[in-house]
Amino acid sequence: MSSRSASARRGAVPRGARPASETAPSRRSGSQAHARARRRPRPRARTRTPLLGAGRLLALVLAVALAAGFLWLIDGPWFRISSVAWAGSQYTPGDQVSAVLEPLKGSSLLTLDGDAVARRLTSLPAVRAARVEPTLPGGVSVQLEEKAPALIWQTPAVRLVVGADGVIFGRVALSAALPSDLARLPFVDDRRGVALDLFVGDRIPDAERSIALRVAAINPAAMGSSAKALQVRLDDQCGFVISPRRGAGWAAAIGLYGMDPDPSAIAARVEIQVAAIRTLFAAHRESKVGWVDARNPGKVYWRANGPGGSDAC
């Protein structure tokens, strides 16, 4: 074999092989793609969790059971109000209390709003406060606290019991004797025509009530009278008139009706009138006096008992 053929064999490219210039770029691109693939984060495998765990399912079942039980207690027969009772209603008519409490029957004791019921009860004229308590299994108990009587206001039709706030909350028939606790209260005999329009639940105007109480508080001894207590009358002609509740039969017109009820002004005016009547009783025996007009304390008129000595008002 010749040397040319040998050198040709040495320089010949093997069959199926590519030149280095052709294979190098391919290797570089492959390594770069592999590097990029290594840098790209692999997607995490998603794990499926159960929609509702055993604990959550149990809690849900318990919540539903509790709600159903509560609704059963509300709507069930065990706690339905079947009876109502109250105490402390001396001046409050039973039908007024019943009108507030009877509608509660049939409702659930668990939904009872005691404060709301108490507010409705205190809207009644005689009730000052009310305590509402549930009683198992299905009752409501109410304790009423009524206002204290402060004044008896008599009209031509009835005697009215008045509280310190001026609200009329009770009544006593004219033919009935006043109970001992009411007989000791200030007494006003209102003979005006408008007095017939006064009913339980109405309010005696503050001006009239304050003047009446001040006149009723006059001490008979300060006038030189032997009377133990005074009663007050109110009429359209003479205004306020005072007279002994028992004993001597005189009467004295004080007036003051329609006057500004300023306490200091009323007190000063009454003091002057009391002094004028005291001067009269010092000069004339009380038993001989029948009528006194002290509306103008500077000039007091009087009439003796007997014929022609009747009440001028």
Side-chain angles (χ1 to χ4, degrees):
M1 185 179 293
S2 64
S3 60
R4 186 168 39 181
S5 59
S7 61
R9 283 197 301 269
R10 286 195 298 268
V13 177
R15 183 180 299 177
R18 294 183 179 179
S21 59
E22 296 181 6
T23 58
S26 176
R27 287 196 300 270
R28 284 197 299 270
S29 61
S31 61
Q32 291 175 356
H34 182 68
R36 285 195 299 270
R38 292 181 60 185
R39 288 196 299 270
R40 185 182 301 121
R42 294 181 179 180
R44 295 181 179 179
R46 297 183 179 180
T47 58
R48 293 187 177 181
T49 57
L51 295 179
L52 194 63
R56 291 184 179 180
L57 180 60
L58 179 60
L60 180 60
V61 171
L62 289 176
V64 172
L66 288 174
F70 183 72
L71 292 176
W72 180 81
L73 286 175
I74 293 177
D75 295 331
W78 296 101
F79 291 101
R80 287 194 177 276
I81 298 174
S82 58
S83 64
V84 292
W86 65 88
S89 57
Q90 180 179 357
Y91 296 102
T92 305
D95 57 346
Q96 293 184 2
V97 181
S98 180
V100 176
L101 299 181
E102 285 296 324
L104 299 177
K105 290 184 176 180
S107 62
S108 174
L109 201 62
L110 299 178
T111 61
L112 174 67
D113 188 346
D115 292 338
V117 176
R119 284 193 297 270
R120 291 197 295 271
L121 290 170
T122 53
S123 67
L124 300 177
V127 180
R128 190 180 72 84
R131 186 173 67 252
V132 180
E133 296 179 346
T135 57
L136 295 176
V140 174
S141 176
V142 175
Q143 180 64 45
L144 300 176
E145 182 179 343
E146 294 186 320
K147 299 174 182 177
L151 176 65
I152 300 299
W153 198 278
Q154 179 175 290
T155 74
V158 68
R159 297 189 191 107
L160 302 172
V161 183
V162 184
D165 56 357
V167 175
I168 302 170
F169 63 83
R171 51 185 293 160
V172 179
L174 293 177
S175 58
L178 282 173
S180 58
D181 59 329
L182 298 182
R184 293 190 293 267
L185 296 176
F187 184 92
V188 178
D189 181 8
D190 191 350
R191 300 184 181 181
R192 298 172 301 163
V194 296
L196 293 172
D197 296 328
L198 293 175
F199 298 95
V200 172
D202 292 338
R203 183 187 181 95
I204 304 297
D206 291 341
E208 297 171 9
R209 181 170 52 88
S210 60
I211 294 176
L213 289 173
R214 179 62 188 89
V215 173
I218 295 175
N219 185 355
M223 298 187 300
S225 172
S226 61
K228 299 301 182 182
L230 298 176
Q231 64 182 8
V232 180
R233 191 179 78 214
L234 177 59
D235 59 47
D236 293 312
Q237 182 177 351
C238 291
F240 289 95
V241 179
I242 57 175
S243 61
R245 287 198 179 185
R246 299 179 183 88
W250 58 266
I254 302 296
L256 303 178
Y257 183 49
M259 185 177 174
D260 183 3
D262 177 66
S264 57
I266 293 296
R269 178 66 177 271
V270 169
E271 185 177 353
I272 296 173
Q273 291 172 310
V274 167
I277 297 174
R278 182 173 62 244
T279 301
L280 174 65
F281 286 161
H284 302 277
R285 189 181 304 175
E286 180 182 6
S287 60
K288 299 296 184 180
V289 177
W291 168 250
V292 181
D293 189 346
R295 287 175 291 179
N296 180 5
K299 195 171 185 179
V300 175
Y301 295 93
W302 70 283
R303 293 180 184 177
N305 279 326
S310 60
D311 192 330
C313 295

